[in-house]
Amino acid sequence: MSPRLLPLVNAGPHGSRSQMTCHYRCGNACDFPEPNASGNPHAATLIENAIQRRSLLKAGAAGAGALVVGGLLNPAPAAAATGLATVGRSDKLRRAHGIGAVDFQPVAPNVRDAVTVADGFEHRVVISWGDPVTRNAPPFDVNNQTPEAAAEQFGYNNDYVGVLPLDRKRALLVANHEYTDEQLMFPAGRYDDATIKKIALASHGMSVVMIERAGGDDSGAWRRSNPRQSRYNRRVTDQTEFEMTGPAAGDERLRTSADPSGRKVLGTFNNCAGGTTPWGTVLSGEENFNQYFGKSGSMDSRYTTSYARYGITGSGDRGWKDVDPRFDLTAEPHEPFRFGWIVEIDPYDPRSTPRKHTMLGRFKHEGANIQIASTGQAVAYMGDDERGDYIYKFVSRDAFDPRDNQAARKQNMALLSRGTLYVARFTDEDQGDAEYDGLGQWIALANDKESFVPGMSVSDVLIDTRLAADKMSPTRMDRPEDIEPNPATGKVYCALTNNSNRGSSSLPTDEANPIGTSMVRSKIGAPLTSKSGNRNGYVLEITEDANNAAAESFTWTLLLVCGDPEAPETYFAGYPKEKVSPISCPDNVTFDGLGNLWISTDGNQLGANDGLFRVPVEGPERGLVRQFLTVPIGAETCGPLISDDQRSVFVAVQHPGETDGATFETPSSTWPHTDSFPRPSVVVAYAKDSTTDRPERRPTP
Ligand code: FEO
Ligand code: CA
Ligand code: CA
Ligand code: CA
């Protein structure tokens, strides 16, 4: 049976992202009302002692020079306790050269079916969908796919990319496989329906892959190692066992017929962004998990409110319940409570059981990134990627132990099980001044012992985090995606992708979400359109009070109001707009060793392919956005990462060719041009003068 054809949907809320992407990635979330019906007030009505707090902040700032900036405490993302040499973050920060310092001419917006990097750089594919991961993996054969083979090969639609050092020549690449696109993966008529579903299941999850320099020690080029020479390579699939940690582990709502303990879950799904921890593990966010659940009959009425708040409708049409009954809400009403978590995997220990951390709350997690506060506590920043949902942070109870030994690492591995979960409220200090800035509060929801939300227990807060947050008047944001602290300054940056509903009566604009209607005119030929909502997104900058990441208050400013620089509403931190690259729909962020922000995009509204951009956030070039690379037709740029030695830029090219009407037989992209169909792949870009061998000719199946 062929994969089913997509239903026709209104183009409106989907922006420039294809209907296929919306269907497969998030179950057409934008076709449904926002799940957040809390009606939480917007910023202007929530001015609370703003002036007093501003005075306190200024007093705190005067003494801030004496404080340790949170991120500077971060050690190597470590081979800590592995006994392996590594280039540490402190080295990274001292480096005055590398990719962050290189001047390059911006790549012009384009619609090429290629990865295009700035002049002076080149790139190569590191690994693609179907490439072998484990030593048992068979060669990829698109005409003879099996669920068993898929579970040993690199999964579909790579998203987050972590690169953890092993030694000077080798590293571990950790990738998320967010979702599958059955219309692009399978030749029509070749596979039966059940086989397609089982392969799709196995193609989700994560991969750990050893990579090696494709040249000398100073080469920025990397290639995948032979899996037979790696003891680390691993696939995490729908059959991999996870352990639940934290206060909600074992809760009645987490128990199923297969797991009466409520502590052991099979698989992780829709893993979007992530982060590498200071203790050398990888965090990954379970995002649009709701779409995978169907129903064979009625749904448990005890959970009507909770299901609705998470978009769990039982109409998930991936049909997984037909091949695995745990995806049937009628039979297993608790299974969806076992997803929507931050998961942690230790890539240095291939036999370790990955974990799901209930203390970090349950929502549509984009990802999580950690910095160590001046108090020593580990602080994780997290976005709930849905229109009108919230920004969260977690502060650990215990302090990070920076020592490089097994005992310290073991202790650090427990940090995410105990602490306090907060949600963010943004207020407008000046009530409508000309600048997009203001004050903010982290509102405590629960710690591991006590709930601060009336009428909800600690477990209630952690399992129904959206419902808990709704009661505390946080600020409804425009799809909070990747949020990450700058290791050079401790300031925190959040990509707010877009929100087609912003400016509607149910979701008015506010100072932190100021664009409700925009005029979008393409620079490269797309028609002039006038559309409602926040079409192009923002990058938000948060400065924690007294530069302490564990603080409960902060100041904020919009670093970027994205879009066509010629559009009046756009803003690039005050930098002259005629000198910046157009940027639209920021999604993922990362930093180089000089503290420059790198931003990848998802769903460029300006008529060109998505890309990766570098922007300084300090000094005279603050706001100077320059495009570093573009990705192929239909693709989104994911997982950007600058290597610790500052020589390599890794990006995940996700869903190449996922444009409406494209099929396996009639693809709109064939990137990376190894086959007649597209293959999502991880790419590394590096300066041309780094010594490399010639890119190997990739085998075709
Ligand atoms: Fe998977 Fe929030 O993008
Ligand atoms: Ca994302
Ligand atoms: Ca990131
Ligand atoms: Ca995205």
Side-chain angles (χ1 to χ4, degrees):
M1 184 189 299
S2 303
R4 79 194 68 194
L5 290 175
L6 290 171
L8 283 175
V9 292
N10 291 335
H14 299 266
S16 75
R17 207 74 280 171
S18 72
Q19 291 170 20
M20 271 173 104
T21 300
C22 295
H23 173 80
Y24 285 115
R25 181 175 58 197
C26 56
N28 289 315
C30 301
D31 286 343
F32 298 92
E34 300 141 17
N36 187 349
S38 65
N40 274 329
H42 56 102
T45 61
L46 288 167
I47 309 300
E48 290 182 358
N49 305 319
I51 303 306
Q52 291 94 314
R53 290 219 317 284
R54 178 56 122 186
S55 319
L56 283 173
L57 175 80
K58 283 186 173 144
L67 294 171
V68 179
V69 172
L72 290 176
L73 280 176
N74 285 359
T82 61
L84 296 163
T86 177
V87 180
R89 277 198 194 281
S90 50
D91 291 320
K92 179 172 165 176
L93 291 171
R94 282 194 288 272
R95 247 174 240 276
H97 56 85
I99 224 134
V102 174
D103 206 17
F104 61 83
Q105 284 300 311
V107 175
N110 65 70
V111 291
R112 299 178 59 204
D113 190 28
V115 170
T116 304
V117 294
D119 277 351
F121 291 83
E122 55 196 340
H123 75 280
R124 64 185 287 156
V125 170
V126 179
I127 190 166
S128 299
W129 166 50
D131 282 344
V133 170
T134 71
R135 56 185 66 199
N136 299 322
F140 182 58
D141 179 350
V142 81
N143 288 311
N144 289 290
Q145 301 179 59
T146 65
E148 295 75 23
E152 311 286 341
Q153 296 165 334
F154 200 63
Y156 206 74
N157 269 345
N158 33 220
D159 198 317
Y160 177 72
V161 171
V163 176
L164 293 87
L166 284 172
D167 54 34
R168 288 196 66 80
K169 288 181 183 297
R170 303 178 307 157
L172 296 178
L173 183 148
V174 182
N176 287 344
H177 302 296
E178 187 182 21
Y179 71 100
T180 50
D181 185 323
E182 286 78 341
Q183 293 194 79
L184 299 181
M185 291 171 69
F186 300 105
R190 187 157 182 95
Y191 298 94
D192 64 63
D193 197 46
T195 302
I196 287 174
K197 288 168 182 164
K198 288 178 187 166
I199 293 171
L201 268 161
S203 301
H204 282 67
M206 301 174 73
S207 290
V208 180
V209 179
M210 193 166 86
I211 59 173
E212 59 194 35
R213 288 190 199 274
D217 282 2
D218 61 346
S219 166
W222 292 80
R223 64 184 169 213
R224 63 182 167 84
S225 303
N226 182 339
R228 293 180 189 282
Q229 288 162 4
S230 169
R231 67 182 185 86
Y232 303 99
N233 283 21
R234 176 178 194 181
R235 266 305 313 280
V236 172
T237 71
D238 61 307
Q239 294 302 312
T240 304
E241 184 173 299
F242 283 71
E243 177 196 350
M244 305 292 303
T245 78
D251 185 272
E252 202 254 332
R253 283 161 286 187
L254 301 183
R255 299 177 194 167
T256 63
S257 55
D259 172 32
S261 76
R263 294 172 183 275
K264 296 188 186 311
V265 181
L266 293 185
T268 184
F269 298 110
N270 214 267
N271 299 69
C272 194
T276 298
T277 66
W279 48 93
T281 61
V282 168
L283 305 178
S284 168
E286 297 181 331
E287 196 185 26
N288 293 296
F289 64 95
N290 57 310
Q291 64 177 313
Y292 298 126
F293 294 90
K295 61 175 189 243
S296 58
S298 59
M299 299 207 296
D300 194 321
S301 59
R302 288 174 296 173
Y303 306 123
T304 302
T305 305
S306 174
Y307 284 169
R309 188 64 179 84
Y310 286 81
I312 297 163
T313 63
S315 65
D317 56 3
R318 311 303 293 266
W320 287 2
K321 73 177 192 315
D322 303 338
V323 294
D324 188 341
R326 68 184 164 126
F327 294 105
D328 180 356
L329 292 166
T330 306
E332 292 290 350
H334 291 167
E335 191 71 15
F337 293 115
R338 292 144 65 85
F339 298 89
W341 302 103
I342 289 292
V343 305
E344 181 177 16
I345 179 169
D346 180 1
Y348 291 111
D349 181 359
R351 287 175 305 282
S352 58
T353 301
R355 297 175 297 160
K356 301 195 179 198
H357 293 300
T358 66
M359 194 65 243
L360 274 60
R362 175 172 164 268
F363 41 93
K364 291 190 182 179
H365 275 288
E366 173 74 13
N369 285 280
I370 288 182
Q371 70 174 328
I372 305 301
S374 52
T375 55
Q377 291 157 290
V379 179
Y381 296 89
M382 303 176 285
D384 183 351
D385 180 7
E386 184 127 328
R387 294 165 301 152
D389 261 295
Y390 310 129
I391 291 173
Y392 296 83
K393 87 170 176 183
F394 161 82
V395 178
S396 68
R397 186 193 72 177
D398 300 323
F400 172 70
D401 185 340
R403 288 175 303 167
D404 184 8
N405 61 45
Q406 291 287 1
R409 190 158 192 258
K410 182 158 184 256
Q411 182 177 317
N412 293 333
M413 296 278 272
L415 287 175
L416 303 185
S417 303
R418 284 186 295 265
T420 305
L421 181 65
Y422 297 88
V423 67
R425 179 190 298 159
F426 296 81
T427 56
D428 169 11
E429 176 191 5
D430 305 314
Q431 295 198 53
D433 64 349
E435 292 190 20
Y436 304 121
D437 65 355
L439 304 179
Q441 278 181 287
W442 294 110
I443 305 160
L445 298 175
N447 64 29
D448 43 291
K449 295 268 190 301
E450 187 182 4
S451 164
F452 307 111
V453 180
M456 296 181 83
S457 68
V458 171
S459 287
D460 292 345
V461 170
L462 300 182
I463 292 172
D464 281 324
T465 306
R466 284 180 164 185
L467 293 170
D470 288 346
K471 297 187 174 198
M472 307 299 276
S473 299
T475 302
R476 299 171 67 192
M477 308 300 287
D478 287 351
R479 294 190 52 202
E481 297 247 25
D482 207 2
I483 173 166
E484 189 158 334
N486 185 341
T489 65
K491 293 183 184 182
V492 180
Y493 294 82
C494 180
L496 295 148
T497 290
N498 55 39
N499 186 343
S500 50
N501 282 7
R502 182 64 70 174
S504 67
S505 57
S506 65
L507 193 61
T509 57
D510 60 48
E511 180 122 323
N513 300 276
I515 308 298
T517 301
S518 66
M519 298 289 292
V520 181
R521 182 163 63 79
S522 166
K523 279 176 131 34
I524 59 164
L528 181 74
T529 52
S530 171
K531 291 174 177 172
S532 62
N534 165 17
R535 309 299 296 181
N536 294 293
Y538 316 116
V539 175
L540 170 73
E541 179 183 72
I542 291 173
T543 305
E544 300 274 25
D545 279 2
N547 222 356
N548 172 17
E552 295 192 336
S553 54
F554 57 86
T555 57
W556 62 267
T557 185
L558 290 185
L559 175 80
L560 304 178
V561 176
C562 299
D564 183 340
E566 290 183 13
E569 74 278 8
T570 57
Y571 177 73
F572 298 84
Y575 200 84
K577 289 164 68 171
E578 67 278 10
K579 295 183 179 166
V580 307
S581 295
I583 181 171
S584 175
C585 301
D587 188 330
N588 295 112
V589 294
T590 195
F591 299 90
D592 62 39
L594 295 178
N596 296 309
L597 176 65
W598 294 67
I599 305 165
S600 65
T601 66
D602 169 17
N604 187 331
Q605 296 277 318
L606 306 175
N609 290 354
D610 278 314
L612 178 68
F613 302 77
R614 186 183 76 185
V615 53
V617 292
E618 303 287 336
E621 293 195 331
R622 175 177 159 92
L624 172 52
V625 173
R626 281 193 283 192
Q627 181 145 346
F628 177 74
L629 64 73
T630 54
V631 295
I633 292 169
E636 132 181 25
T637 324
C638 293
L641 186 95
I642 314 298
S643 64
D644 280 341
D645 68 4
Q646 305 298 302
R647 296 181 200 280
S648 312
V649 180
F650 288 87
V651 293
V653 177
Q654 197 192 45
H655 58 78
E658 193 171 57
T659 58
D660 291 332
T663 65
F664 181 86
E665 287 75 20
T666 57
S668 61
S669 165
T670 55
W671 186 87
H673 312 303
T674 52
D675 300 272
S676 61
F677 51 90
R679 291 173 74 179
S681 305
V682 175
V683 158
V684 63
Y686 46 93
K688 256 182 191 153
D689 54 9
S690 51
T691 54
T692 74
D693 61 354
R694 294 186 60 75
E696 66 194 327
R697 178 145 173 75
R698 294 168 52 75
T700 46

